[in-house]
Structure formats: structure tokens, C-alpha cells
Amino acid sequence: MSSIEIGNYILARLEQLKVRRMFGVPGDFNLGFLDLVEDHSTVDWVGNCNELNSAYAADGYARVHETSLGVVLTTFGVGELSAINGIAGAFSEIVPVLHIVGVPSTTQQKAKALLHHTLGDGRYDAYTKAAEQFTIAQGHITDKETAAAQIDRVLTECLIKARPVYLTLPTNLVYEKIPADGLEIPLPRAQPANDADAENAALEEIVKIVGGAEVEGGDVVILVDACAIRHDARKEVDALVRKTGFPVYVSPMGKTAVSESYERFGGIYMGSISHPDVKHKVESAKVILSIGSIKSDFNTGNFTYSIPTARAIEFHSDHTKVFHATFPAVGMKQLLPLLTARLQPTTNAVSVPNFNLNAVLPDESNSIISQAWLWPRLSHFFRPHDVIVAETGTSNFGLMEVPMPEGALFVSQMLWGSIGWAVGSTLGAAFAARDLGFGGRTILCIGDGSIQLTVQELSVMLRHGLTPIIFLLNNAGYTIERCIRGPERKYNDISNWKWTKLLEVLGDLDGVESRSYTVKTKAELSALLDTPEFANGKKMQLVEIMMEKQDAPRALKIQTAMGSGSYDF
């Protein structure tokens, strides 16, 4: 029987799962494992400026590398707690991330030694208790007999439930040898098989309901949300959409879950914030097939979804709801292909105008770069297979309402909404896009306030030769917060930076690996976007876009004016 070090067993499993990058920060309790990582032929160590950014990067990597997971490595205590906001965001948004923590030796833990990075009171379980709140499973390697089982268990939970997991690796066990034969058994990735009787009952009921609606001439529409992406159901959704021809809409969090160039795609549905025609089409449908919904405040237009239970069939990863009836243990990944096979193309195949998404530039006579003009103008710049990352705030709401080309991937964090997340996420997304050979560019849209939180990761992008295009909105502070409250308050102001010198400071010392620009007018921005050298994205580029302080996208203005529990004053 062959053997393998515990540290290399972890790396072998990650290699099987097609993980190519590990993010994190070195610390004395993880250095032994890091030696193995650095010597590994497939898993590459990235190295971040801080642990929070590394967690954001692992999140972004997992979102783009949809059949794999993100990995972040930190050290005990100080490192893992710094990463915890990013891990919590991945949990909230259903993103699979493995958090590996290098911890003191098992002997030191048992003795409750007064080590650095401890709380000084012997509580070696304090950080684990914190991690339990933000991870779906926790594994503690305490001996070589159970190490492989612990590793395989948490990785399996991460893959199947698409949420973060936590794994501790003591310094004295990294090089302990364990049997390698377990690596011959692939880890399961799919949800457990649906309960056959429940699945058949749900299927028969759905086919009957949809068929009855068609006979009566009522509309059947499909509404796709983020969990269809997170639980690897893109292909199943696409097959259902194209076989039936039912009009299909997406939620904000589900943007690019289906092709926005598809002729039966109708746009974005977000409750009362939707275009009136989209709102009418969805809410008046006789049956709504809702796939992977996440009914959070921003995703539903402040809970203004108006989809009665009596007309909604909901498909989730581990259950299905048909009107008021729930079918446990009937997941969408396995149910959707069976449903597609049973349904016939719609007889109500009238055209589906795309009301929400258009790239029509507003008729503005001035030269000011407005929010209403910027986002449709950028949409003309996007290309197939681009990865487009939007920061929480104006960028997210602005990009939500413009079309994305075929094969483009939209990445945003609407539920957790941690400002600054997009910089680290862009790092991870750019690596994943490069590793997978997407062929498009990685584009980040972010405000001057948000980027100041996590700007250090631009240096990591430069160090690794990544070439994102960064559109930086310079509108003098926190615009989304100004929309919520305090439009003239000092707490929404920030210090202005010399943005065009930023990349030089952060690593491009000779100014040859990047380019930076400032644009102040519509004509200047359009001329830059139309320049082939810029558009080809062969080097890292930052564009500072000068904008009005109080301007905001349409959807953001409406959302904040409506208010919600978090900002209803």
C-alpha cells in the first residue's frame, strides 16, 4: 500500500477537483504546509496582501470556476479571523470555498500552551466556534488515522452544498504519512439521488399543471435565479428553456444564468423596480417556473416580488415546491431533465420583447459622463466570454440593466454586499478565467470609495501578470450610502487619491506593465473604448472616470427610495 503525507493528500484532492490556485497569507503555523504547496506541480500559491482579500479572491475564483471550489490558507487566530468576513460572504451567497488553517501542534493544543496568536486563556476552540457560524462543515485533523476521512468529508460537503468549509491542519501532522489508496475513490459532487416516489409525484403534478395552463392559453414563464448557477444547473436550465420556448427572465443575482441574446429572453425581474412590461409579463403569468430563487431584499426589489404561491412552482437544490405542496429530497439538478423530456414546445410562441436590457444611449446634450449614459455605453464595449465583476453599489445596479454578450459572465455580491469585495474577487476571477481558457477579458467596475478598502490586491494582479481592465468611478465617496442617507454628510466623503499613479506605486515601477487614464467627458471615454490597443486588454489598465457626486443608476435610486428594514428611517 502506497503512502502520502497528509499535506500532500489535501493537495492531491484539490488537484483532482481541478483547483489550480491557492490564496492566502503565510504564517508560522502554515509554513510547513506551504512548502508542499510551493513544490506542487499543479496547485499554485498566489499569496495575498491580507487574509480578507485572500478570502474574497477564493470566492471570485469559485464563482468563475463553477465546477470546482476556491481555496484560502491562513494561519491560526490572527489570520483566520481576518478572513472571516470573506468566508461569511461566500456562505451567504452560496459559494464553495475551502478554508485551511494552519494550527499549533496537537501536543500544544492539549496542553493549552500560552502561545502567540492565542487569546491567552487556553481557549483553543474559540476560533472554531467562530468558524462554525460561517461554514457548512468543519474538520479537525487530530491524528493520522482519521485525517483522510476528515479531509474527504469537508470537501464533499463543500462540493455538494456549495458553501464554505473549515479545515485545521496542525503543524506536527503535515508530514505524517497516511495510506494513499483513498485517493483512488473520486469525491462525490452531486446531490444525493432524488427520492424516486417523491420525484415521480412532483413530475406528474408539474406536467399536468403546465399542460393545463397551455391548453387554457395562459402564459407559462421561467424565472431563473442564482442557485441555478451555484448548484451547477446551467445546462439543465438551458435545455428546459430552449425545448419549451417559454419566456425566460432572471433575477438580479441570476444575471447571465441564461443567455441574454436568446430570442425568448425577456429581461430582469426585480419586483416593483422592474420595467413595467416585465413586471406585468411575470406577475400575470398563469404559471411561473422559479428556478433557484434567493428572495433577499435587493434581489426582489425590497421584497416586492408579486408571485403568488398558488401560481409558482419552485425548483431548489434539495426540494421542490408545487404551489402549496413541498416535495423534500427532490432537487432540480435531477428533476429538470426529466421535466424537459416530458414537456412540449409552447404553442404561445409570440415574440418576447426584451424590455429591461438595452444599450440605447440617452439623448443627453452635455458632455458629462452620467450614470444613465455610462452603463449602456460600457455594454457596447463588452465582448463574448468577458468576465465582468461589479462592486456593490452603483456598478452593480448600473450593470444590472444593460445587456451582456453571449458567454459573458457577470459576477456580483448582492446579498452579502461587502464593499471592497470586488477587488479581491477580480483577482480570483481573472485567475479562473485564465486557467479555464475563457478567451475573454476580465473587467472590474468599482467606485473610488470601495476600492480604497482592498486596493492592495492590484499589486498581486501585477505580480502574476494578470491584465484586468478597471473602470474606477470617481464620484467623491460612497454614492450608494448617499442615496440611502446623508447625501451631504461628511461620513460619506473619502480622500481623493492620485489614481493614475496607483499601479506604479503598487508594483509597475517602470510603467511598462500597465496603463492608466483619466476621462472627464463622454467623448474622451468613447474614444478610449474604441481604441483597439486599449480594448484588447493585453496589459493591466485603470480608467478613472470623473462623475457627478449625487448621480446614481435608475434602479439604485428606486431601491433606496423604497427603503427596507436596513435603512428605513
Side-chain angles (χ1 to χ4, degrees):
M1 183 184 299
S2 62
S3 63
I4 188 172
E5 297 92 345
I6 291 175
N8 274 324
Y9 186 98
I10 295 172
L11 293 172
R13 279 302 194 198
L14 296 180
E15 183 177 16
Q16 290 175 350
L17 298 174
K18 309 300 182 185
V19 173
R20 293 284 306 279
R21 312 290 166 178
M22 183 181 294
F23 304 93
V25 178
D28 54 352
F29 292 115
N30 65 30
L31 295 179
F33 179 55
L34 261 177
D35 284 341
L36 297 179
V37 176
E38 187 164 318
D39 294 339
H40 198 270
S41 60
T42 302
V43 180
D44 185 39
W45 174 249
V46 174
N48 297 90
C49 296
N50 63 57
E51 291 87 358
L52 173 61
N53 292 348
S54 68
Y56 288 160
D59 178 307
Y61 185 89
R63 289 173 189 255
V64 174
H65 201 328
E66 292 179 2
T67 59
S68 188
L69 68 156
V71 183
V72 56
L73 173 68
T74 66
T75 196
F76 175 66
V78 294
E80 59 182 302
L81 294 183
S82 292
I84 208 163
N85 175 36
I87 299 298
F91 186 97
S92 172
E93 299 242 340
I94 316 175
V95 180
V97 172
L98 168 65
H99 185 187
I100 306 172
V101 181
V103 300
S105 71
T106 53
T107 302
Q108 291 169 326
Q109 291 185 55
K110 289 176 182 177
K112 297 184 179 181
L114 192 62
L115 297 177
H116 60 288
H117 301 342
T118 68
L119 297 171
D121 60 2
R123 287 186 295 143
Y124 273 77
D125 63 344
Y127 312 137
T128 297
K129 289 180 178 178
E132 288 173 354
Q133 312 307 310
F134 310 109
T135 54
I136 200 69
Q138 304 80 41
H140 303 284
I141 299 174
T142 57
D143 55 63
K144 62 182 184 180
E145 287 74 24
T146 60
Q150 290 283 0
I151 296 165
D152 290 354
R153 177 180 61 83
V154 296
L155 283 173
T156 299
E157 289 289 291
C158 186
L159 292 168
I160 292 177
K161 296 182 179 176
R163 290 191 191 268
V165 294
Y166 176 83
L167 180 67
T168 61
L169 178 57
T171 56
N172 64 315
L173 294 179
V174 175
Y175 293 95
E176 283 289 326
K177 295 287 188 73
I178 60 174
D181 56 330
L183 293 170
E184 298 175 7
I185 304 173
L187 294 177
R189 294 169 177 256
Q191 291 281 343
N194 287 344
D195 179 89
D197 291 338
E199 180 180 69
N200 187 60
L203 180 63
E204 293 298 329
E205 189 67 15
I206 296 168
V207 169
K208 181 175 69 174
I209 290 169
V210 172
E214 283 277 281
V215 168
E216 296 173 16
D219 283 336
V220 179
V221 303
I222 299 173
L223 178 60
V224 185
D225 208 337
C227 280
I229 303 171
R230 304 290 193 265
H231 292 287
D232 190 28
R234 280 185 185 270
K235 292 181 180 179
E236 291 77 7
V237 170
D238 186 69
L240 175 67
V241 165
R242 294 181 185 275
K243 165 77 180 294
T244 63
F246 296 146
V248 59
Y249 302 85
V250 296
S251 72
M253 288 180 69
K255 188 171 175 64
T256 66
V258 298
S259 170
E260 295 185 358
S261 60
Y262 173 53
E263 61 188 13
R264 305 285 289 166
F265 177 68
I268 305 287
Y269 175 70
M270 44 184 160
S272 295
I273 300 177
S274 310
H275 186 287
D277 292 298
V278 171
K279 177 177 168 62
H280 172 73
K281 286 288 187 180
V282 173
E283 295 178 1
S284 66
K286 193 172 185 64
V287 176
I288 300 100
L289 303 179
S290 173
I291 304 176
S293 67
I294 299 176
K295 297 177 182 176
S296 66
D297 52 358
F298 280 177
N299 204 35
T300 62
N302 280 339
F303 306 115
T304 59
Y305 262 31
S306 185
I307 302 177
T309 302
R311 289 191 279 118
I313 299 173
E314 297 184 14
F315 301 86
H316 297 278
S317 64
D318 58 0
H319 71 281
T320 299
K321 292 182 68 176
V322 181
F323 299 164
H324 294 281
T326 299
F327 295 84
V330 178
M332 60 183 168
K333 177 77 173 175
Q334 299 167 46
L335 178 60
L336 288 177
L338 300 177
L339 180 61
T340 301
R342 292 283 299 274
L343 295 180
Q344 298 301 315
T346 181
T347 57
N348 188 18
V350 296
S351 63
V352 181
N354 188 328
F355 295 107
N356 255 115
L357 305 178
N358 64 77
V360 178
L361 299 178
D363 185 13
E364 296 179 345
S365 58
N366 58 51
S367 63
I368 297 171
I369 301 174
S370 67
Q371 296 279 347
W373 180 89
L374 173 63
W375 304 111
R377 179 62 186 90
L378 281 182
S379 73
H380 289 286
F381 176 74
F382 298 150
R383 295 175 177 175
H385 306 294
D386 280 347
V387 176
I388 300 155
V389 185
E391 177 58 72
T392 295
T394 54
S395 298
N396 200 357
F397 281 91
L399 288 169
M400 187 190 307
E401 296 193 283
V402 298
M404 300 286 171
E406 185 71 28
L409 188 63
F410 182 63
V411 181
S412 69
Q413 194 193 55
M414 181 164 279
L415 177 53
W416 186 242
S418 183
I419 66 169
W421 161 88
V423 182
S425 184
T426 296
L427 170 64
F431 265 124
R434 188 167 77 179
D435 293 347
L436 295 171
F438 266 30
R441 306 160 300 181
T442 299
I443 298 171
L444 167 62
C445 296
I446 190 168
D448 52 350
S450 294
I451 198 172
Q452 289 190 3
L453 276 76
T454 50
V455 69
Q456 309 97 314
E457 294 313 301
L458 299 183
S459 67
V460 180
M461 299 178 200
L462 284 165
R463 177 157 52 91
H464 287 277
L466 298 172
T467 60
I469 299 173
I470 301 162
F471 292 105
L472 189 150
L473 282 55
N474 188 338
N475 48 14
Y478 301 122
T479 298
I480 187 171
E481 308 293 358
R482 295 189 199 281
C483 290
I484 295 170
R485 189 177 178 91
E488 299 293 348
R489 290 289 186 177
K490 291 186 292 184
Y491 54 66
N492 285 323
D493 297 336
I494 63 169
S495 299
N496 193 28
W497 291 1
K498 186 67 174 177
W499 296 105
T500 53
K501 294 293 184 182
L502 192 62
L503 298 181
E504 180 182 333
V505 171
L506 292 177
D508 187 12
L509 304 182
D510 299 323
V512 298
E513 299 174 8
S514 66
R515 288 288 302 273
S516 295
Y517 314 83
T518 296
V519 293
K520 299 179 180 180
T521 67
K522 292 182 174 77
E524 289 176 355
L525 179 55
S526 284
L528 180 63
L529 296 178
D530 292 339
T531 303
E533 183 182 3
F534 173 81
N536 288 337
K538 298 302 182 182
K539 59 173 59 179
M540 189 169 174
Q541 298 174 104
L542 185 149
V543 184
E544 178 188 15
I545 304 175
M546 305 304 296
M547 305 188 72
E548 298 288 298
K549 182 168 74 171
Q550 301 294 355
D551 193 14
R554 180 200 75 91
L556 177 56
K557 291 178 181 178
I558 298 174
Q559 181 95 30
T560 53
M562 291 168 60
S564 78
S566 60
Y567 49 83
D568 187 7
F569 300 101

